[in-house]
Amino acid sequence: MAYLEEIYERACLAMHGTTKVKQSYQGQEVILDFKAPWKRMTMLDAIKQYAKIDASKMPVEHLKNILDTHKVEYETPLTWGLAVQALFEAFVEEHLVQPIHITEHPRETTPLCKVSRHDVRLIERFESFCLGMELSNAYSELNDPLLQRRLLEQQAEELNKGAEEAHPMDEDFLEAMEYGMPPAGGLGFGIDRMAVLLTGVDAIRDVILFPTVKKEEKK
């Protein structure tokens, strides 16, 4: 998180001499401030604040009723974690205007991630958001081969049931992990979205050197 904050802060200072940038969002002008440190919030706390739903204490059946009532699409078979993710995407993301890190995501969203030390339903993952869009994805790599096997077995079962986003079984990866994978982690973020935010343009096409264009029809 600190690394990403430093990159944004220093780039913004180099471009504008300040950490603040004017942007438009949902028809209004907003002043974004990329000064570190950014706000941090767990996904469950974000849902509780913006959607007024305490998902941490609700069974999956209750969450499903909420999703169905609001006609929110979700993956099947639905689990507690997938329901939490769907709630977050439907009711929270649009409210994340200023730079923020959302931590502790549901375990089902990233099978290769370490389990949270605070809640076994969650994982050590964060995504950064600004203007309602994702800026980065990062997590601690899972290096427990026994737990990884159980998770991949669950994923393979869900894949057989038709879950398109589920991961297949990977025996080669499991064998490599059994030999001893050291603690590891990673961070990925898009330079294109960073350019959109720091230059104040409205569309990602404005910062891509070779944007995709429609094929010209012959007359």
Side-chain angles (χ1 to χ4, degrees):
M1 294 181 197
Y3 179 68
L4 183 70
E5 291 169 357
E6 181 181 5
I7 291 175
Y8 264 87
E9 183 180 56
R10 293 177 68 173
C12 197
L13 284 169
M15 291 178 65
H16 305 290
T18 175
T19 59
K20 297 181 180 180
V21 179
K22 287 184 180 180
Q23 260 287 6
S24 59
Y25 183 61
Q26 296 183 348
Q28 296 183 338
E29 184 179 277
V30 295
I31 304 296
L32 302 177
D33 193 348
F34 292 99
K35 181 176 177 58
W38 299 356
K39 185 176 181 179
R40 303 180 184 185
M41 182 180 290
T42 68
M43 182 174 287
L44 288 172
D45 285 344
I47 293 173
K48 188 174 183 179
Q49 175 172 327
Y50 293 107
K52 309 304 179 186
I53 299 171
D54 189 358
S56 64
K57 300 178 181 178
M58 293 182 181
V60 64
E61 293 79 13
H62 195 160
L63 298 179
K64 182 179 183 300
N65 289 336
I66 296 175
L67 294 172
D68 289 339
T69 299
H70 291 86
K71 295 180 172 56
V72 177
E73 295 183 358
Y74 50 81
E75 294 182 40
T76 56
L78 186 67
T79 64
W80 179 85
L82 293 178
V84 168
Q85 181 71 24
L87 285 170
F88 174 79
E89 293 174 353
F91 300 117
V92 178
E93 285 188 357
E94 64 177 329
H95 298 288
L96 305 180
V97 180
Q98 293 295 331
I100 185 174
H101 303 298
I102 299 296
T103 65
E104 305 225 329
H105 295 225
R107 188 171 62 185
E108 294 91 331
T109 63
T110 315
L112 303 182
C113 182
K114 265 188 178 296
V115 175
S116 168
R117 299 160 212 203
H118 309 111
D119 189 332
V120 296
R121 301 174 299 176
L122 308 174
I123 50 178
E124 288 188 359
R125 175 189 177 194
F126 78 85
E127 286 183 324
S128 307
F129 289 84
C130 184
L131 288 188
M133 66 179 177
E134 177 193 333
L135 304 185
S136 76
N137 181 32
Y139 58 84
S140 303
E141 298 279 356
L142 177 62
N143 59 352
D144 181 339
L146 300 180
L147 175 57
Q148 184 62 81
R149 177 172 291 279
R150 291 200 300 271
L151 292 175
L152 283 178
E153 287 174 348
Q154 293 173 8
Q155 286 287 304
E157 184 177 347
E158 292 178 12
L159 185 64
N160 290 333
K161 293 179 180 178
E164 296 181 358
E165 299 296 325
H167 289 254
M169 176 59 71
D170 191 337
E171 289 291 349
D172 291 334
F173 177 71
L174 288 171
E175 182 179 5
M177 186 177 286
E178 288 169 355
Y179 280 101
M181 178 178 172
L187 165 69
F189 66 97
I191 299 298
D192 47 5
R193 293 192 179 187
M194 182 180 182
V196 167
L197 292 171
L198 298 188
T199 58
V201 301
D202 296 325
I204 201 167
R205 287 173 57 86
D206 295 331
V207 300
I208 297 176
L209 293 178
F210 303 100
T212 302
V213 296
K214 292 182 179 180
K215 187 176 181 179
E216 184 178 1
E217 296 183 3
K218 295 181 179 180
K219 295 183 180 180

